[in-house]
Amino acid sequence: MAIVDSKTGKIRKDYTVEDLAEAANLMRGYNLISLACAKSGHSGGTLSVMDVTAALYLKIANHDPENPSWEDRDRIIWSSGHKAPSLYIGLGMAGYFPVEDVARLRKLYAPYQGHPHWPKLKGVEASTGSLGQGLSIANGIALAGKLDKKDYHVFCLMGDGEQQEGQIWEAIMEAGHYKLDNITGLLDKNRLQIDGWVEEVMNIDPIVEKYKDFHWNVIEIDGHNMKEIVEALETARAYKGKPTLIVCHTTKGKGVSFMEDVAGWHGRAPTVEELEQGLKELGLTDKLPVKKMFQIAADHQEQATAKLEAKMPKFSRDYFWNKSERMKADMSPTRKGFGSCLLDTGDDERMICLGADISDSITISQFYKDCPGREHRWFSMGIAEQSGTGVAAGLAKEGKIPVFGTYGVFASGRNLDQLRTTVCYGEFNVFMAGAHGGVSVGPDGATHQALEELFQMCGLPNMTVVVPCDFVETRRASEFLLFQLNGPKYVRFAREATPIVTTGETPWEFGKANVIRYRGEKDKFAEAFETKLASEYKSENEDIAIVACGPSVPEAMRAAYILKEEFGIETRVVNMHTIKPLDKEAIVKAALDTGIVVTAEEHQVGGMGNLIAAVMGQAKELYGRSMIMGMIGVKDRFGESGAPWELVKEFEVSAEHIAAKAKELYDFAKK
């Protein structure tokens, strides 16, 4: 069966093997167009898995686009959530929606998130994106099917690099132990991951023998031979007594010569010119609605922008970054400050850097690239955050200075127990880097947007937490943490280019906040402000204090600019770059001097704000004083896909929102 009318049991449409091969080729074309429309996404893996996608959604899996919640449908779990465009195109081709609509991929307010989110789109069975979790979900669904005596089958698509995650092996063991013959795993073995060839990053082979040892039936096929794919899927569905794994030998970037077997195309979208070349190689020139899809994307973007701007606080003019002739800001990603530090200090033989498959993205690879003689102190741990953290602890125990970095969601969450029990309890000198903090990560969406780390990291005894505000401060903080501070430490930084507001001469001391004051418009934004250590600052009788960390510091500075120019309100901006330990003296002084404190963070509201509130609530100097406090942060919601600066506005953490909250509290205080 396949695409079924769930009411009558009749097949809505059937495909021959030849039809499926032709459909898969079309789907590759739609995939390239959707990625080009989004200007971001994962080309390599979506192309390698497309033949399997076509077979599943158009021939093998029983499902009904007219009744997506049909209880007897087969379930398809995409554990490799970054291959979401393949999933969406499979659903579109099956009739869940017009396939051209995937042109809205990764756009704000669209259901086609960078990684699948099932409440947003019918036909998606699970929200995925943190690798290694999908097979466990599939096990739960399969167990439920057994308990309810249902005949549905569960298919789980996985990548080969993903097999490096420890949770995968827990799930493999479970499925074999419980003889879940209603599960078929599909391993897209395209041999490449972000950091290079899988066998060189962290070899998973002999993968066939490993699955067999865990009591799985294993079938190996050419993942681009449609006849083999269909026969293997039919065999797996009928197999009894064991779960089945189909190892699909594929080519990353299949069908487009300049993408094939190139690791760099893992997370890159084609340009318009590359799209044209790719469609030509697929034999699809003038055969797909390219112009129509780009227009769908443009129309959606126009509507999304209008909706977003309607929500923004309004002032007499546009104060957004680099919109006016003056107050221009230089931009650079804070992550590059981290990489710059490792590059310049890496000759210290004690330093060991550990990669987690996103090494270039978070810039940790700067430690050894172009630096002969350091390669022996670089270790690729693969996609294995928990074990990598334990390895770092072992290195630290023996006197090394280990640096382990990954995206903040994984650096603080996936390995939280390892950080708690092994690193912090053991008081080991491990430097954890949490990259891509905040919603400004952009179109990858909620699974990759770190918004909870301050709750997690600040709650760990012995853990130091630093959130620098720009490229320069990230570099300085990283160097201090590496060589001047012994013990568990965590630095949080962003992905997107953000304003540079400090220099090498700007005062910076670990654990000591800075006070920043707006002094009047200048040609350069940073030059319009004066910065002093909070301990050396004398009150200027400001009206309000904004305490901020990370990229919210430049936003707080811009809010101070808005408040002064629009309302004549004087603002003390406190750069709280060290979150643990907090500069309590600076907080209390700001509260005493102004009576109004607003916290600003690109994080779930309260991550830093609650800590500031606790200091104020327990300060004897503030007992009996009239105090007003507000918090700016993400309001207890997950992120979503969109352009970085769109999301800063959508999640109400921009300077405009900070200024509006400050003005609201100021007006209340004056009543």
Side-chain angles (χ1 to χ4, degrees):
M1 299 178 77
I3 305 173
V4 181
D5 183 332
S6 54
K7 294 180 180 177
T8 65
K10 293 182 179 179
I11 297 176
R12 292 188 183 275
K13 186 176 181 180
D14 197 9
Y15 287 78
T16 65
V17 167
E18 292 73 22
D19 292 337
L20 289 173
E22 184 177 345
N25 194 56
L26 283 173
M27 291 164 70
R28 284 192 169 90
Y30 279 117
N31 182 61
L32 292 178
I33 300 168
S34 70
L35 291 167
C37 288
K39 298 181 181 178
S40 73
H42 298 77
S43 297
T46 51
L47 292 172
S48 68
V49 80
M50 201 63 82
D51 297 295
V52 171
T53 305
L56 267 180
Y57 283 93
L58 304 181
K59 178 73 173 177
I60 298 298
N62 297 325
H63 59 121
D64 184 358
E66 301 297 323
N67 184 14
S69 299
W70 175 38
E71 64 177 17
D72 292 320
R73 73 192 182 281
D74 291 334
R75 275 70 163 172
I76 306 174
I77 307 299
W78 286 73
S79 191
S80 295
H82 58 278
K83 297 175 186 175
S86 301
L87 158 59
Y88 303 146
I89 291 164
L91 291 173
M93 291 288 286
Y96 284 79
F97 47 79
V99 69
E100 295 91 347
D101 201 43
V102 296
R104 298 193 290 144
L105 175 70
R106 291 178 159 236
K107 296 200 175 297
L108 184 62
Y109 307 131
Y112 312 106
Q113 295 283 287
H115 292 76
H117 187 41
W118 75 272
K120 279 202 169 216
L121 187 65
K122 298 293 185 184
V124 176
E125 294 287 354
S127 301
T128 55
S130 181
L131 291 176
Q133 298 186 15
L135 187 57
S136 298
I137 300 170
N139 284 349
I141 295 171
L143 284 168
K146 294 279 189 183
L147 291 169
D148 295 339
K149 295 181 171 51
K150 293 287 186 181
D151 291 329
Y152 65 68
H153 203 80
V154 187
F155 300 92
C156 182
L157 289 104
M158 301 173 284
D160 44 0
E162 185 178 11
Q163 305 300 298
Q164 295 158 359
E165 279 285 10
Q167 183 176 342
I168 279 278
W169 292 95
E170 295 175 14
I172 293 167
M173 178 170 57
E174 292 160 0
H177 178 79
Y178 288 111
K179 300 180 173 60
L180 297 180
D181 52 15
N182 55 346
I183 282 183
T184 295
L186 291 138
L187 177 57
D188 180 21
K189 199 170 191 292
N190 61 36
R191 300 165 293 120
L192 279 169
Q193 57 190 106
I194 301 174
D195 277 1
W197 296 102
V198 173
E199 66 178 2
E200 295 176 2
V201 174
M202 186 60 63
N203 196 2
I204 64 169
D205 283 323
I207 197 69
V208 170
E209 286 76 6
K210 289 175 183 177
Y211 267 84
K212 286 181 177 178
D213 287 343
F214 279 77
H215 311 296
W216 282 61
N217 172 47
V218 182
I219 303 170
E220 289 190 81
I221 63 168
D222 175 351
H224 302 307
N225 183 313
M226 193 59 72
K227 184 173 183 293
E228 289 188 28
I229 295 169
V230 170
E231 288 177 353
L233 285 167
E234 289 174 339
T235 299
R237 187 182 196 110
Y239 193 90
K240 298 302 178 186
K242 292 181 179 180
T244 294
L245 175 74
I246 302 175
V247 179
C248 307
H249 293 281
T250 63
T251 299
K252 198 151 191 165
K254 177 66 176 178
V256 182
S257 62
F258 55 87
M259 294 184 182
E260 288 188 352
D261 287 335
V262 179
W265 279 101
H266 173 92
R268 190 189 146 197
T271 63
V272 172
E273 293 75 18
E274 289 166 337
L275 167 64
E276 291 173 355
Q277 179 62 29
L279 292 177
K280 180 180 178 181
E281 293 189 13
L282 291 168
L284 296 175
T285 300
D286 299 326
K287 293 183 179 180
L288 291 175
V290 177
K291 289 184 179 179
K292 178 183 177 182
M293 290 179 69
F294 271 90
Q295 191 60 52
I296 289 171
D299 290 345
H300 178 91
Q301 186 60 57
E302 183 178 353
Q303 294 167 13
T305 298
K307 180 179 177 181
L308 183 61
E309 292 303 323
K311 295 172 55 177
M312 289 291 290
K314 299 298 187 291
F315 302 101
S316 65
R317 56 190 170 103
D318 190 347
Y319 288 89
F320 207 75
W321 295 109
N322 295 332
K323 290 288 188 179
S324 60
E325 291 301 315
R326 304 191 76 194
M327 298 291 279
K328 296 291 188 182
D330 296 325
M331 303 272 187
S332 182
T334 52
R335 57 183 167 141
K336 290 190 175 181
F338 172 69
S340 172
C341 170
L342 298 179
L343 174 65
D344 292 345
T345 64
D347 283 343
D348 189 312
E349 287 292 328
R350 296 172 298 167
M351 282 180 63
I352 310 289
C353 285
L354 308 173
D357 195 43
I358 46 176
S359 306
D360 288 347
S361 180
I362 73 166
T363 73
I364 194 172
S365 58
Q366 292 296 303
F367 167 71
Y368 78 98
K369 285 194 171 181
D370 302 320
C371 295
R374 294 184 187 176
E375 296 91 344
H376 69 288
R377 290 185 284 119
W378 164 262
F379 296 94
S380 289
M381 306 310 296
I383 307 167
E385 300 84 1
Q386 294 164 316
S387 184
T389 301
V391 169
L395 286 165
K397 185 177 185 298
E398 299 305 317
K400 305 300 182 183
I401 303 177
V403 183
F404 186 36
T406 180
Y407 295 160
V409 283
F410 311 137
S412 64
R414 192 75 188 242
N415 57 346
L416 183 59
D417 187 48
Q418 284 74 19
L419 284 171
R420 176 185 182 272
T421 306
T422 301
V423 175
C424 291
Y425 191 43
E427 299 186 59
F428 289 127
N429 186 33
V430 172
F431 184 12
M432 288 296 303
H436 293 33
V439 294
S440 58
V441 172
D444 272 345
T447 60
H448 284 50
Q449 291 165 357
L451 297 174
E452 300 83 24
E453 318 101 292
L454 297 184
F455 295 134
Q456 296 157 334
M457 294 299 97
C458 292
L460 295 175
N462 298 326
M463 178 65 82
T464 292
V465 181
V466 176
V467 187
C469 72
D470 66 2
F471 166 88
V472 177
E473 197 168 79
T474 301
R475 193 197 184 290
R476 297 175 76 183
S478 296
E479 185 168 354
F480 177 88
L481 292 174
L482 271 170
F483 300 111
Q484 303 299 319
L485 186 75
N486 189 57
K489 47 219 171 184
Y490 186 90
V491 63
R492 180 188 197 239
F493 50 86
R495 178 189 188 280
E496 189 65 12
T498 54
I500 299 175
V501 294
T502 71
T503 69
E505 287 70 49
T506 302
W508 189 90
E509 287 188 21
F510 170 74
K512 299 294 182 183
N514 284 347
V515 167
I516 305 170
R517 291 283 285 117
Y518 172 60
R519 299 305 189 193
E521 282 192 343
K522 301 284 185 181
D523 289 337
K524 291 284 190 179
F525 181 86
E527 294 173 1
F529 297 84
E530 181 182 7
T531 302
K532 291 185 178 181
L533 286 173
S535 58
E536 297 176 2
Y537 179 74
K538 291 188 182 347
S539 174
E540 297 180 9
N541 299 313
E542 301 95 331
D543 301 298
I544 196 163
I546 302 174
V547 183
C549 65
S552 291
V553 171
E555 295 295 331
M557 294 166 67
R558 193 161 61 86
Y561 167 42
I562 294 170
L563 289 167
K564 177 62 175 178
E565 297 298 323
E566 292 283 320
F567 311 111
I569 296 174
E570 295 286 354
T571 305
R572 180 185 305 185
V573 174
V574 181
N575 176 6
M576 195 60 65
H577 50 72
T578 306
I579 305 299
K580 187 181 180 187
L582 279 171
D583 187 345
K584 297 180 181 180
E585 182 180 343
I587 297 166
V588 173
K589 194 168 187 299
L592 273 174
D593 291 345
T594 67
I596 305 173
V597 174
V598 176
T599 61
E601 55 194 315
E602 194 180 323
H603 186 275
Q604 295 290 355
V605 68
M608 178 190 69
N610 290 349
L611 300 174
I612 304 299
V615 170
M616 292 170 59
Q618 297 176 74
K620 293 180 179 179
E621 300 94 322
L622 300 179
Y623 287 178
R625 299 270 186 165
S626 176
M627 290 289 150
I628 300 176
M629 186 176 184
M631 294 186 191
I632 293 293
V634 176
K635 298 176 180 177
D636 194 30
R637 55 183 285 204
F638 285 102
E640 60 178 275
S641 293
W645 291 108
E646 285 182 323
L647 297 177
V648 168
K649 294 178 179 181
E650 165 64 18
F651 286 87
E652 301 179 9
V653 292
S654 74
E656 288 78 6
H657 295 96
I658 299 170
K661 172 59 72 173
K663 179 63 164 58
E664 174 193 332
L665 298 181
Y666 175 83
D667 290 344
F668 180 82
K670 292 298 181 183
K671 287 182 181 178

